[in-house]
Amino acid sequence: MNTIDDLIRWIPGQWEKVILTVLSVGLALLASHLWGLYLSRGEMSAEKRRLYLVWARNTIWFVALLIIVSVWASTIAGFALSVAAVAGAILIVSKELVMCVHGYLYLTVVQPYKIGDVIEFNALHGRVVDIDMFATTLVELDKAGQRTGKVAEFPNGLLLTHPVVNASPTGAYVLHAIQIPIPERAAHNLDYIESAALAAADHATAAWREEAMAHFRKETESNFIAMPSGKTKVSWDFSDPEHLVLVARIACPVEQRAKVEQAVFRHVWRAISPAQLGESESQSGTGAA
């Protein structure tokens, strides 16, 4: 009760600061709400709408926080000694909270990812849909790049101690590796399988291949980093002698990865069917004769 009575007696001399604080919070809430209504009426993709919403919301509340701190600066300075006396206890109690704020500062300065990027973090794999001061929210994706319907969050403080992989750092186009296991019965005709995989990948990416290659050239020139050319390439993973794996590397839009992967896999799997393999061998034998 003594603390409440002291607070009641102290407020009358601080009414201007209290009113400015309430106004700042109210205006921040109103601005966030009006911005959300404005974006909902615009004709833009959901990803862009989410990006603009998160960016504006964080900016509005950062400005509001600066105003509130400026208004109460003199009062805060008066309590500096008291704050210093309990600072150790606060840091111990709220260590995770402080780490989350530091992680958010790391995100703001370094920008390892942004809204819309596909990232891998610990056991999580998904598209970033929200970033606030304390946590990052992902829409979970499966191995094929399709949404699972689940939403995952992790505290920003973990970014200070765990590595994060950004699967879409180059913007609209990414390099995607398609891994296709090859049965033992087809391992004797690798040239035919390579040709089938290249043909399938070129057909699936024909609509944007030239644009993707131009995109990677631009990324190389603007970021001063030697990026891959974006051409389709086929290689073999023989790390496990009992399981030969064909790896087709393609350049495609982020949202098209699963569709292209399925198309290439179906084409290659049909090509290595016993009937197709037999036909290819007979054609190669006839040509040799």
Side-chain angles (χ1 to χ4, degrees):
M1 292 297 295
N2 292 333
T3 303
I4 297 177
D5 293 339
D6 293 341
L7 182 62
I8 294 175
R9 287 194 299 269
W10 172 76
I11 287 180
Q14 307 289 338
W15 277 118
E16 294 181 355
K17 296 179 181 179
V18 173
I19 292 173
L20 286 174
T21 300
V22 173
L23 284 176
S24 298
V25 174
L27 288 175
L29 289 172
L30 179 62
S32 299
H33 179 67
L34 292 177
W35 182 249
L37 289 178
Y38 170 75
L39 290 178
S40 65
R41 297 175 182 175
E43 295 182 359
M44 64 177 66
S45 64
E47 291 185 1
K48 286 188 176 181
R49 186 180 294 113
R50 187 69 181 176
L51 174 62
Y52 295 152
L53 177 63
V54 172
W55 176 83
R57 184 194 63 193
N58 290 343
T59 302
I60 290 170
W61 284 104
F62 180 74
V63 172
L65 180 62
L66 285 180
I67 294 174
I68 293 173
V69 170
S70 300
V71 168
W72 292 94
S74 59
T75 305
I76 293 173
F79 287 103
L81 294 178
S82 300
V83 172
V86 298
I90 292 176
L91 288 176
I92 293 174
V93 173
S94 58
K95 176 183 175 183
E96 288 76 12
L97 183 64
V98 173
M99 287 185 64
C100 287
V101 176
H102 288 172
Y104 181 73
L105 293 176
Y106 167 76
L107 274 173
T108 303
V109 175
V110 181
Q111 291 187 335
Y113 56 81
K114 59 184 183 300
I115 300 295
D117 285 354
V118 176
I119 66 172
E120 297 175 8
F121 187 77
N122 286 347
L124 301 176
H125 175 224
R127 186 181 299 276
V128 180
V129 294
D130 193 10
I131 301 173
D132 58 30
M133 188 172 292
F134 303 109
T136 295
T137 304
L138 306 176
V139 173
E140 190 179 56
L141 304 176
D142 59 18
K143 294 182 179 180
Q146 297 179 336
R147 297 187 179 187
T148 63
K150 300 178 182 179
V151 176
E153 292 186 0
F154 62 86
N156 294 332
L158 294 179
L159 293 171
L160 302 176
T161 56
H162 294 77
V164 58
V165 177
N166 191 336
S168 53
T170 57
Y173 292 96
V174 296
L175 292 172
H176 181 52
I178 304 172
Q179 297 184 342
I180 304 175
I182 303 301
E184 185 178 355
R185 58 178 170 76
H188 63 281
N189 204 345
L190 301 185
D191 291 339
Y192 170 72
I193 298 174
E194 284 187 10
S195 300
L198 282 173
D202 287 341
H203 177 74
T205 61
W208 59 74
R209 188 185 311 117
E210 295 299 326
E211 184 176 350
M213 293 173 62
H215 172 81
F216 283 107
R217 286 195 298 268
K218 184 178 179 180
E219 288 291 325
T220 298
E221 296 171 357
S222 59
N223 296 327
F224 304 104
I225 299 176
M227 300 295 295
S229 64
K231 293 181 179 180
T232 301
K233 291 187 177 181
V234 173
S235 59
W236 293 95
D237 179 2
F238 47 86
S239 55
D240 185 353
E242 297 182 359
H243 297 89
L244 187 63
V245 178
L246 180 143
V247 182
R249 193 196 71 182
I250 61 171
C252 68
V254 179
E255 65 278 5
Q256 294 286 336
R257 291 182 302 169
K259 180 179 179 180
V260 173
E261 180 172 318
Q262 294 297 315
V264 173
F265 176 81
R266 286 196 300 268
H267 184 93
V268 173
W269 203 251
R270 285 195 298 266
I272 60 179
S273 64
Q276 291 292 334
L277 283 175
E279 182 179 346
S280 67
E281 292 173 358
S282 63
Q283 289 178 354
S284 62
T286 303

